[in-house]
């Protein structure tokens, strides 16, 4: 154990954030999975042990990812994109349907469901960071730089959006931020936004689950006109938050966990506020804001464009997802299926989030350690 700790590099504050989020996750999942355990006919402890195994596995993946020099992810990004596109297409056409959406692929033998959009986040952000850093000399060239970037962003968006529009929109937003930081011209960025808007309208009004999406937006905009079954989730999330007060009911004393759908995932923030109060909710917001602050410091100090863009894209992806989840829980947005990073219960999503943390730590490790010549180093701007 001492040897592992001595070999742990990178930003120490980010490691502390990961440990804090792990503890919060274990407490919240243990408290909110009673109904799920009853439905499955197992004990809550059984579900907690599985979640603990995923958290420990995630931290192990984070450790491995942070030990690999981040420059190697530039080469891996191309392979990841080649693998991701067929997987997204397969998921869209033949994926397992859960909650009326085909977002998962069942992994044989181990019995886990794999959400391909989690891989797509890593693949697209890494690919964009690589492409933008390598094309800086001719970044304004439409054929050489703009078309490959626009094609990748729009293709991933259109493959994720029919089943998981919220994730597609967040990933699209992170991509636009990377294009701005990567010095793509405003005119070209506007073209990407117009293409994204057209695709969004097509998904909203022509794609599958359009009735569900329109219903959720109407319920959010006019909750007083919504039918009780349509506003059930948001109503009980508000009840959980209101009953939490300043200091909360205490760990394990939630009552809304028995009514809230996905109380251990999409609505876990409402359960945290119910049990730990306004203080607990603000503390969790502070943790994610501090994570963003530490990541921005890493971005500003990164010596290579690829490392800066990579850390920037991944950190924005994590924090935007976190605040989207919390916004939905407190009624600032329509209901979505976005988990709270490294807190919500979820198998492969925890693993991919851990890899993202590991890559950010790899960039920070490069800043702290003396520069070494990497054999076969991939050229970055």
């Amino acid at each position: 154990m001492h040897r592992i700790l001595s070999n742990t590099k990178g930003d120490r504050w980010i490691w502390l954030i990961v440990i804090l989020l792990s503890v919060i996750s274990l407490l919240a999942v243990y408290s909110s999975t009673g109904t799920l355990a009853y439905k499955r006919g197992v004990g809550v402890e059984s579900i907690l042990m599985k979640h603990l195994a995923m958290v420990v596995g995630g931290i192990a993946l984070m450790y491995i990812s942070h030990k690999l020099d981040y420059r190697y992810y530039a080469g891996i990004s191309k392979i990841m994109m080649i693998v991701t596109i067929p997987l997204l297409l397969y998921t869209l056409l033949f994926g397992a349907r859960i909650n009326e959406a085909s977002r998962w692929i069942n992994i044989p033998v181990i019995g886990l469901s794999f959400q391909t959009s989690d891989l797509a986040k890593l693949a697209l952000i890494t690919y964009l960071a690589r492409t933008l850093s390598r094309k800086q000399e001719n970044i304004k060239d439409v054929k050489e730089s703009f078309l490959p970037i626009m094609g990748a962003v729009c293709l991933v968006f259109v493959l994720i959006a029919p089943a998981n529009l919220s994730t597609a929109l967040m990933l699209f937003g992170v991509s636009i931020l990377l294009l701005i930081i990567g010095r793509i011209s405003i005119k070209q960025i506007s073209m990407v936004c117009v293409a994204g808007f057209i695709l969004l309208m097509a998904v909203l009004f022509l794609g599958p689950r359009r009735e569900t999406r329109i219903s959720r937006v109407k319920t959010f905009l006019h909750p007083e006109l919504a039918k009780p079954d349509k506003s059930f989730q948001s109503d009980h999330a508000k009840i959980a938050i209101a009953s939490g007060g300043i200091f909360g009911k205490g760990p394990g004393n939630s009552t809304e966990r028995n009514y809230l759908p996905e109380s251990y995932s999409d609505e876990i923030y409402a359960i945290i506020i119910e049990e730990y109060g306004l203080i607990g909710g603000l503390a969790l917001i502070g943790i994610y804001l501090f994570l963003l602050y530490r990541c921005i410091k890493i971005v500003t100090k990164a010596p290579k464009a690829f490392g800066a863009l990579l850390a920037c894209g991944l950190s924005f992806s994590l924090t935007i997802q976190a605040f989207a989840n919390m916004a939905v829980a407190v009624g600032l947005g329509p209901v979505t299926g976005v988990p709270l990073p490294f807190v919500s219960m979820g198998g492969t999503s925890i693993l991919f989030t851990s890899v993202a943390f590991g890559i950010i730590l790899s960039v920070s490790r490069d800043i702290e350690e003396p520069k070494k010549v990497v054999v076969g180093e991939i050229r970055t701007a």
Side-chain angles (χ1 to χ4, degrees):
M1 179 62 72
H2 180 266
R3 185 178 179 181
I4 293 175
L5 291 174
S6 63
N7 288 327
T8 300
K9 306 297 181 182
D11 192 293
R12 300 293 178 182
W13 287 109
I14 293 182
W15 280 107
L16 178 60
I17 288 169
V18 170
I19 298 302
L20 284 174
L21 291 178
S22 300
V23 173
I24 293 170
S25 177
L26 292 171
L27 291 171
V29 167
Y30 181 67
S31 177
S32 60
T33 49
T35 303
L36 179 66
Y38 176 77
K39 289 178 180 178
R40 292 183 179 180
V42 298
V44 176
E45 292 77 11
S46 173
I47 295 177
L48 179 65
M49 287 300 104
K50 288 182 180 179
H51 181 61
L52 176 61
M54 297 305 297
V55 171
V56 172
I59 293 175
L61 271 179
M62 192 186 312
Y63 178 81
I64 295 169
S65 301
H66 104 289
K67 293 296 287 184
L68 181 63
D69 192 293
Y70 75 89
R71 296 171 184 85
Y72 288 114
Y73 291 106
I76 296 171
S77 68
K78 206 168 184 179
I79 301 171
M80 289 172 66
M81 283 296 292
I82 293 172
V83 172
T84 296
I85 299 303
L87 278 177
L88 287 174
L89 184 60
Y90 177 85
T91 306
L92 186 62
L93 298 176
F94 308 109
R97 293 186 65 83
I98 303 176
N99 295 333
E100 300 180 359
S102 298
R103 303 176 184 176
W104 291 264
I105 295 177
N106 289 326
I107 304 174
V109 183
I110 61 176
L112 285 177
S113 295
F114 164 55
Q115 192 164 346
T116 47
S117 60
D118 291 327
L119 174 61
K121 292 176 195 175
L122 278 176
L124 182 60
I125 290 171
T126 310
Y127 175 79
L128 288 179
R130 173 187 182 271
T131 305
L132 288 168
S133 62
R134 291 173 68 91
K135 302 286 186 179
Q136 282 298 302
E137 293 180 2
N138 56 349
I139 196 66
K140 307 297 182 183
D141 189 288
V142 174
K143 184 178 179 181
E144 290 293 322
S145 302
F146 176 66
L147 289 181
I149 291 171
M150 180 178 178
V153 173
C154 291
L155 182 59
V156 171
F157 178 86
V158 81
L159 289 175
I160 295 177
N164 197 347
L165 183 58
S166 53
T167 297
L169 286 172
M170 284 188 292
L171 189 53
F172 188 85
V174 172
S175 300
I176 295 299
L177 286 173
L178 278 179
L179 297 189
I180 294 171
I181 296 170
R183 300 195 306 116
I184 294 288
S185 70
I186 298 299
K187 181 180 178 181
Q188 292 175 344
I189 291 173
S190 300
M191 292 173 64
V192 178
C193 291
V194 170
F197 180 77
I198 293 171
L199 292 173
L200 173 61
M201 291 299 103
V203 170
L204 279 176
F205 295 105
L206 301 176
R209 303 183 71 236
R210 54 186 176 274
E211 293 85 2
T212 301
R213 295 192 184 96
I214 294 172
S215 174
R216 287 178 176 179
V217 173
K218 286 182 177 178
T219 300
F220 170 68
L221 294 176
H222 304 288
E224 70 282 357
L225 302 177
K227 296 180 180 179
D229 62 318
K230 299 296 183 183
S231 61
F232 182 86
Q233 184 168 333
S234 58
D235 288 344
H236 280 276
K238 292 173 184 175
I239 292 171
I241 291 169
S243 60
I246 302 291
F247 301 102
K249 297 178 178 179
N253 292 325
S254 168
T255 53
E256 289 304 313
R257 63 187 175 186
N258 299 318
Y259 304 99
L260 263 175
E262 308 293 331
S263 60
Y264 46 84
S265 180
D266 302 346
E267 299 290 349
I268 199 166
Y269 186 63
I271 302 300
I272 290 172
I273 295 180
E274 183 182 10
E275 295 190 346
Y276 299 94
L278 178 64
I279 293 176
L282 290 176
L284 192 55
I285 291 175
I287 290 172
Y288 283 110
L289 285 175
F290 188 60
L291 169 64
L292 181 61
Y293 166 73
R294 295 305 304 177
C295 290
I296 289 174
K297 289 201 70 174
I298 293 169
V299 170
T300 56
K301 293 181 180 179
K304 297 284 186 179
F306 174 66
L309 290 167
L310 186 59
C312 182
L314 292 175
S315 59
F316 274 122
S317 175
L318 291 170
T319 51
I320 288 173
Q321 180 179 329
F323 283 102
N325 174 280
M326 293 186 285
V328 170
V330 299
L332 295 178
V335 173
T336 63
V338 178
L340 193 58
F342 221 82
V343 174
S344 294
M345 190 181 82
T348 52
S349 64
I350 290 179
L351 301 183
F352 281 107
T353 301
S354 301
V355 172
F357 271 117
I359 295 173
I360 294 170
L361 286 166
S362 178
V363 177
S364 71
R365 191 191 69 173
D366 184 68
I367 296 170
E368 295 176 1
E369 291 181 347
K371 299 298 177 291
K372 299 178 182 178
V373 177
V374 180
V375 178
E377 178 180 340
I378 299 169
R379 181 178 64 85
T380 58

